[in-house]
Amino acid sequence: HVQLVESGGGSVQAGDSLRLFCAASGFTVEGHCMAWIRQAPGKERGGVAALYAGFGITYYTDSVKGRFTISEDNANTVYLQMDSLQPEDTAMYFCAAEASYCSQWNAYNYWGQGTQVTVS
């Protein structure tokens, strides 16, 4: 069955970097939309970045453009490199897989448990 396991979250200072990992199993990420979506306390989930795996097509929400980078490797893992982190980036970050349109953040079929990122 499909499983997504996130890791890499933590507590950092403003301006620091973190790299999130999403290990996928039960399917091959290539040819599928993969996304990072976050939810801050008291707020709705919002898309951060998406990738059409294997084709190099990426999407970013405006607030992270130039700071975050989504990527994949041949080990079925999707990454989110986060640089110049700001307090407003504080949220639970979820890895999500499979949607008809990669930037359709609410349409993903599979979700991980999330990893917490706290920026102070």
Side-chain angles (χ1 to χ4, degrees):
H1 67 285
V2 173
Q3 191 171 14
L4 303 170
V5 179
E6 303 98 331
S7 61
S11 296
V12 297
Q13 299 291 317
D16 286 350
S17 298
L18 278 175
R19 194 179 199 197
L20 304 184
F21 302 80
C22 173
S25 59
F27 75 110
T28 301
V29 301
E30 184 170 341
H32 291 85
C33 291
M34 301 292 299
W36 287 97
I37 296 167
R38 66 187 178 187
Q39 186 168 22
K43 295 186 177 180
E44 294 184 355
R45 283 182 180 177
V48 177
L51 168 73
Y52 188 36
F55 292 85
I57 300 172
T58 58
Y59 306 85
Y60 296 94
T61 195
D62 286 346
S63 63
V64 307
K65 286 180 181 177
R67 300 190 299 123
F68 290 11
T69 304
I70 188 171
S71 62
E72 58 173 317
D73 68 8
N74 57 9
N76 228 36
T77 301
V78 176
Y79 304 91
L80 184 68
Q81 177 67 38
M82 304 187 295
D83 298 320
S84 301
L85 282 161
Q86 300 300 315
E88 52 265 35
D89 296 317
T90 295
M92 183 70 78
Y93 283 71
F94 298 91
C95 178
E98 194 175 289
S100 296
Y101 298 96
C102 295
S103 59
Q104 197 170 5
W105 309 111
N106 293 324
Y108 278 81
N109 292 317
Y110 302 100
W111 295 76
Q113 295 296 310
T115 185
Q116 178 68 36
V117 172
T118 303
V119 186
S120 60

